Amino acid sequence: MILGAAGLTIGVVAALLVKAGNPGNMGLCIACFLRDTVGFFGGAGANMGAVAYIRPEIVGLVLGATVSALVAKEFRARGGSSVLLRFVLGFIFMAGALVFLGCTVRAWLRLGGGDLNALVGIAGLVAGIAVGTVFLRRRYDLGRARKLPVALGWIAPSLAVALLVVAAVAMFGTKPAAFTVTPAGAKNTAEKAVIGKDGTVLKPEGAALVDGAVVAKDGTVVSPAASVAAAKPMPGGLRDPFVLALAAGLGLGVVAQRSRFCTVGGVRDAIIWRRFDLLLGVGGLLLGALVTNLALGQFNLGFVGQPVAHTDVLGNFAAMAVAGLAAVMLGGCPFRQVIMSGEGDVDALSAVLGMAAGAYFMHSFQFASTAKGLAPMAWPLLAVMAAVLVGIGLWMRTRVAVPATDTVAAAGQEA
Amino acid sequence: MQTVDARGLSCPRPVMMTQDAMNGPDAAHMVVLVDSGTAKANVASHLSEAGYTVAVEQSEDGSYTITARH
């Protein structure tokens, strides 16, 4: 019941955040928002100019979880369970998510907004999780985490505070030149001219808007009027007010920490134990987003023309299968990883940093999908990622069937 | 009595190890050790669902001892 209520709350808040300015069906997306935050540092050099913005929601989630864990006396510095492999799994998760265009949270939010491509993605997600349960039944295990010095548990909350400070400074216009922020409301034309919210031309420099077309200094037309009219918003430029985003993140961080909301655990447990009560979490998420989107007129049923989405059926399925498998192998969805890192879990932080590195990689080398579809090299990439996951899944297991009573003997035999 | 030491393990290993103990001999009485709130909640509810009477004790180092009887 708590899970259902938590899912419902997250779904409703996410839909409201879209109303307040976030990209379509992207009120909350762990993969997208981590990627945007990386974009702030990566910028145009990493092909992230259109997705560069420190999302206060992510910062809020971490800090909300920290406060909640401290109050509940659940803040514990812990880690040491295959830290590097968790980085790799986070990296692969992000690769899958950026081919699909959304994480395991956004998949449900997209469906709640009427995007039927998400249905294909969710089918892939279930398939990936099902493969993960096969590994789990074969005693796949990343080993034990241990208690760590308390200072290590504060790394993630400290990083979150640092990001918050940098984001606040950048917002007041004193951003160092090395960083990038996608201009609020910016739109991209097919020819890569960038139009600001109020009709000013942001790129190329010195160009002006004449009769609806972007005209460069020397008089050449950079972007014809039809192209400007059809310009698509840059996702990084779509955002809700800073304080609102931060407050929503903080609130949802508390909700998620208390409820242990996970978008993967419910499906996983339904497959392993035929227990369906944990599915209330994602059920609530879907219902909350669906009802709120309907009420706000944000619901748009169909496959084509969905916000920040493409229609490649096989690609959507395979990408989410890879992401779902990686998430099961991490022990929880990316949302959980972000929340647990706020609780002092260094292993979870490693997964989150892996996701960030994955985002940089995917954009730098142009593997990430666009609204037009999959990148040319997306399929080989997914194949490699899937092979690595299967390798880790087969390799990392408790080698011996351990009788529960015989824990002393087992300690020396674990993988 | 069986003792399951699931401290430091990720989801869903603690519950899977508990299930193994439930399938094993001497399943009427078991003690499960975990060290996260999530594992505690998941293991306790898994045991309750299976008809066990469950008692949870939190120790000073923050770990939990879950005692279950059928």
Side-chain angles (χ1 to χ4, degrees), chain A residues 240-251:
Chain A
D240 43 16
F242 189 88
V243 175
L244 176 69
L246 182 64
L250 283 169

Side-chain angles (χ1 to χ4, degrees), chain A residues 72-74 76 78 81 86 133 136-147 260 268-269 272-273 275 277-278 328 330-332 336 340 343 347 398 402-407 414, chain B residues 1-17 19-21 25-26 33-47 49 58 60-64:
Chain A
K73 298 197 175 2
E74 290 185 350
R76 248 160 251 155
R78 57 186 188 271
S81 158
R86 286 178 191 271
T133 63
L136 285 168
R137 287 206 173 94
R138 291 169 48 94
R139 295 178 187 277
Y140 163 80
D141 190 349
L142 287 177
R144 286 180 200 271
R146 292 177 301 277
K147 252 184 111 164
R260 317 182 200 292
R268 178 195 65 206
D269 291 358
I272 300 181
W273 290 295
R275 260 189 78 170
D277 48 334
L278 291 178
V328 170
L330 277 170
R336 273 299 287 160
M340 290 195 296
E343 296 173 338
D347 293 336
T398 306
V402 183
T405 43
D406 202 5
T407 46
E414 282 178 24
Chain B
M1 187 187 79
Q2 298 190 67
T3 301
V4 178
D5 184 358
R7 285 175 295 184
L9 295 173
S10 301
C11 279
R13 288 293 301 158
V15 180
M16 297 193 87
M17 289 168 73
Q19 180 65 49
D20 285 350
D26 195 17
L33 307 173
V34 295
D35 60 358
S36 77
T38 309
K40 176 203 70 176
N42 290 345
V43 169
S45 89
H46 192 74
L47 285 162
E49 287 270 314
Q58 186 169 11
E60 291 219 341
D61 66 350
S63 65
Y64 303 88

Side-chain angles (χ1 to χ4, degrees), chain A residues 164-257:
Chain A
L164 186 60
V165 171
V166 175
V169 169
M171 198 182 59
F172 293 113
T174 45
K175 174 185 71 64
F179 301 137
T180 308
V181 176
T182 308
K187 289 179 169 182
N188 224 346
T189 71
E191 296 81 15
K192 294 289 177 195
V194 181
I195 319 289
K197 198 168 24 181
D198 49 2
T200 51
V201 178
L202 301 166
K203 260 186 189 175
E205 272 177 36
L209 210 57
V210 180
D211 298 334
V214 175
V215 181
K217 267 186 199 159
D218 60 4
T220 55
V221 174
V222 180
S223 232
S227 207
V228 172
K232 289 243 169 78
M234 296 169 135
L238 295 172
R239 51 202 184 225
D240 43 16
F242 189 88
V243 175
L244 176 69
L246 182 64
L250 283 169
L252 293 184
V254 173
V255 167
Q257 199 279 333

Side-chain angles (χ1 to χ4, degrees), chain A residues 297-379:
Chain A
Q298 294 176 163
F299 185 82
N300 170 27
L301 191 70
F303 284 95
V304 182
Q306 296 290 347
V308 200
H310 59 72
T311 55
D312 190 313
V313 174
L314 281 177
N316 279 329
F317 183 92
M320 264 336 225
V322 166
L325 176 55
V328 170
M329 291 171 69
L330 277 170
C333 76
F335 197 170
R336 273 299 287 160
Q337 303 300 323
V338 168
I339 296 298
M340 290 195 296
S341 67
E343 296 173 338
D345 190 325
V346 176
D347 293 336
L349 173 61
S350 175
V352 173
L353 293 177
M355 287 187 237
Y360 187 86
F361 169 82
M362 290 295 286
H363 278 264
S364 248
F365 297 100
Q366 294 180 307
F367 286 117
S369 296
T370 65
K372 293 191 197 95
L374 264 55
M377 292 302 283
W379 279 109

